[in-house]
């Protein structure tokens, strides 16, 4: 996996051209030259391309900002009015450096106006070409969105429901006027639960491709996916998923592998992420076995009963998190790291990356975290098993309320 620092400005601009097809004819002839690019793009397109790079390729975006800040004129004015609060840390630093140099030259830099995060979201949909992903719901499903110009006019939206273990669950394709598509995407970015956030187009395609590769034979993808697969699930060679981009970016800061597994377990227990349960048939088997332990006549005390339940739960972790499901869980934690990274919750992002590393290692590395996940999934059943037998029998008795 290459780090973000391996991506130069020419390659980053090629990615921008793919993500912003309306500007591609001006981006590509520049051949990665920031000054040639400046001469080819208009003011609005310059801002659009610069902000896309800062958000998605912050190293290359920083290089562009430094070059344009020294160019003066309209380019310097553009950078002067760009507030970096919504960008990754490296991009924010580049803008601060550029603003400092410009102030030292006597140029006026407006003070940033601090607004709620939601106020900056319309920037995401100013361009009709955009790609986004949501967080993962408790079962492990998430949404991916790709918006592009429709050749027949207006815009086209692909809305894909993805699951690391269950493949492509749904695909809806909509064609509508630009204003309606923008309104829909704006709503997706402002949802209270699992809001969508921007991700590079090739990263979203790589995510869809990975889910499609995991499609179970007994649960085929929607028929419409076969029609559009080459269009939305064929990323450029070597493309990284959003989670892999987060890992590369945090590794570039020198702290990508130092997350706290205890913090990852806390995120699961707080139900901030996860618990991403195994298939229903597996859960049914676990609940049955736990019930047999809880009701067993050989149990002589509460302590002995709890000891047997603990052993059964440890055994369940080993059965549930085999190589396949452990790999899915690792991917889910890594993809959650992208969501936290983009929200600037870096400790949580690193904790998720540490969890992903653990689930790609031996069972001893993830046993405690895996058990935490199962305990959240099985919480109602475990609570019922803690009730004294007499109390459960009373609760099972039919009601004798008189009519």
């Amino acid at each position: 996996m290459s780090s973000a620092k391996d991506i130069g400005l020419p390659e980053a601009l090629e990615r921008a051209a793919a993500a912003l097809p309306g500007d591609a004819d001006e981006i590509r002839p520049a051949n990665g030259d920031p000054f040639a690019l400046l001469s080819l793009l208009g003011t609005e397109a310059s801002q659009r391309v610069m902000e896309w790079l800062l958000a998605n390729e912050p190293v290359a975006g920083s290089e562009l900002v430094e070059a344009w800040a020294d160019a003066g004129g309209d380019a310097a004015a553009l950078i002067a009015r760009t507030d970096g609060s919504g960008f990754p840390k490296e991009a924010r630093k580049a803008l601060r450096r550029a603003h400092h140099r410009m102030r030292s030259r006597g140029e006026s830099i407006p003070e940033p106006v601090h607004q709620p995060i939601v106020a900056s979201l319309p920037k995401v949909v100013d361009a009709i070409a955009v790609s986004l992903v949501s967080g993962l719901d408790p079962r492990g499903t998430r949404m991916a969105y790709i918006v592009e110009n429709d050749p027949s006019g207006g815009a086209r939206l692909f809305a894909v429901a993805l699951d690391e273990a269950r493949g492509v669950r749904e695909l809806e394709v909509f064609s509508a006027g630009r204003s309606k598509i923008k309104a829909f995407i704006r709503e997706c970015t402002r949802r209270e639960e699992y809001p969508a956030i921007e991700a590079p187009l090739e990263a979203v395609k790589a995510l869809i491709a990975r889910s499609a590769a995991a499609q179970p034979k007994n649960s085929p993808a929607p028929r419409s996916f076969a029609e559009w697969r080459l269009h939305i699930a064929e990323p450029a060679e070597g493309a990284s998923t959003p989670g892999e981009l987060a890992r590369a970016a945090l590794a570039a800061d020198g702290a990508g592998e130092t997350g706290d597994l205890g913090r990852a377990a806390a995120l699961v227990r707080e139900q901030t992420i996860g618990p991403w349960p195994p298939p229903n048939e597996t859960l049914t088997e676990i609940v049955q076995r736990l019930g047999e332990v809880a009701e067993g006549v050989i149990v002589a005390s509460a302590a002995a009963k709890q000891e047997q339940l603990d052993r059964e739960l440890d055994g369940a972790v080993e059965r549930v998190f085999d190589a396949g499901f452990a790999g899915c869980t690792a991917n889910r934690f890594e993809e959650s790291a992208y969501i936290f990274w983009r929200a600037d919750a870096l400790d949580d992002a690193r904790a998720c990356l540490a969890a992903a590393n653990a689930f790609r290692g031996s069972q001893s590395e993830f046993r405690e975290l895996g058990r935490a996940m199962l305990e959240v999934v099985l919480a109602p059943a475990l609570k019922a098993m803690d009730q004294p037998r007499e109390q459960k029998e009373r609760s099972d008795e039919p009601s004798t309320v008189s009519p």
Side-chain angles (χ1 to χ4, degrees):
M1 182 189 308
S2 62
S3 75
K5 290 189 176 181
D6 294 328
I7 299 175
L9 183 57
E11 182 181 349
L13 284 171
E14 178 56 37
R15 294 188 181 186
L20 305 171
D23 302 317
D25 289 344
E26 287 73 40
I27 295 173
R28 290 193 170 104
N31 292 321
D33 185 324
F35 301 105
L37 181 69
L38 185 60
S39 67
L40 291 167
L41 293 172
T43 302
E44 290 185 6
S46 295
Q47 181 167 1
R48 190 160 50 241
V49 171
M50 181 186 70
E51 290 187 351
W52 189 94
L53 287 172
L54 289 171
N56 298 278
E57 301 291 352
V59 175
S62 300
E63 181 182 344
L64 186 70
V65 164
E66 291 177 5
W68 283 6
D70 292 334
D74 291 341
L78 172 63
I79 293 169
R81 64 174 181 264
T82 300
D83 175 20
S85 59
F87 296 119
K89 182 168 66 175
E90 188 154 7
R92 296 198 303 271
K93 287 182 177 180
L95 284 168
R96 284 198 297 268
R97 287 195 301 267
H99 290 170
H100 177 74
R101 290 205 310 275
M102 293 164 69
R103 284 192 183 98
S104 68
R105 297 198 300 258
E107 299 178 33
S108 175
I109 307 294
E111 291 297 323
V113 178
H114 296 289
Q115 297 176 329
I117 292 175
V118 72
S120 67
L121 290 175
K123 289 182 180 180
V124 174
V125 294
D126 281 346
I128 198 60
V130 67
S131 46
L132 309 99
V133 292
S134 75
L136 287 75
D137 73 11
R139 287 196 60 81
T141 302
R142 71 188 311 188
M143 294 301 299
Y145 303 99
I146 295 176
V147 181
E148 62 184 22
N149 291 306
D150 191 329
S152 61
R156 183 162 54 202
L157 166 70
F158 298 89
V160 197
L162 304 173
D163 189 296
E164 293 286 347
R166 299 183 296 159
V168 178
R169 308 300 297 160
E170 298 177 11
L171 169 62
E172 297 287 344
V173 185
F174 304 96
S175 291
R178 288 169 173 251
S179 60
K180 287 186 178 180
I181 296 293
K182 286 184 177 182
F184 176 83
I185 291 298
R186 188 177 293 110
E187 179 185 349
C188 291
T189 62
R190 294 178 174 179
R191 286 175 182 161
E192 185 174 347
E193 290 190 332
Y194 317 114
I197 61 173
E198 193 173 6
L201 176 62
E202 293 303 314
V204 175
K205 287 183 177 181
L207 186 66
I208 298 172
R210 187 171 70 188
S211 294
Q215 195 77 39
K217 293 182 179 179
N218 61 352
S219 180
R223 290 184 179 180
S224 56
F225 183 67
E227 177 185 355
W228 292 104
R229 182 167 188 156
L230 292 177
H231 193 73
I232 64 172
E234 289 291 327
E237 185 177 355
S240 299
T241 68
E244 291 167 343
L245 291 178
R247 180 181 291 279
L250 290 171
D253 285 345
E257 308 299 325
T258 60
D260 182 0
L261 278 180
R263 178 58 189 154
L267 291 170
V268 171
R269 293 190 188 280
E270 295 162 3
Q271 299 188 48
T272 302
I273 58 174
W276 311 320
N280 288 336
E281 56 270 23
T282 304
L283 280 180
T284 300
E285 177 193 343
I286 293 171
V287 172
Q288 288 176 344
R289 293 179 67 159
L290 289 171
E292 291 168 2
V293 170
E295 297 295 332
V297 295
I298 63 170
V299 175
S301 68
K305 170 183 167 181
Q306 186 59 52
E307 184 179 347
Q308 290 191 41
L309 285 173
D310 285 341
R311 285 201 299 269
E312 185 58 42
L313 277 171
D314 287 339
V317 171
E318 293 183 3
R319 295 193 303 276
V320 167
F321 293 100
D322 56 14
F325 195 68
C328 288
T329 304
N331 289 343
R332 285 166 170 165
F333 272 109
E334 190 168 69
E335 293 305 319
S336 297
Y338 180 82
I339 304 298
F340 286 124
W341 172 57
R342 289 299 304 271
D344 226 13
L346 301 187
D347 288 342
D348 292 343
R350 293 184 179 112
C352 287
L353 292 178
N357 290 343
F359 277 100
R360 288 170 181 152
S362 64
Q363 286 200 341
S364 62
E365 296 178 63
F366 64 74
R367 183 175 290 113
E368 290 187 14
L369 181 53
R371 174 158 171 166
M373 298 175 76
L374 277 188
E375 286 177 347
V376 173
V377 173
L378 298 169
L382 292 172
K383 183 177 180 180
M385 292 172 196
D386 282 340
Q387 293 179 358
R389 182 186 298 239
E390 296 80 3
Q391 181 180 345
K392 286 192 287 185
E393 288 175 349
R394 287 197 301 270
S395 66
D396 292 338
E397 291 177 357
S399 173
T400 57
V401 177
S402 301

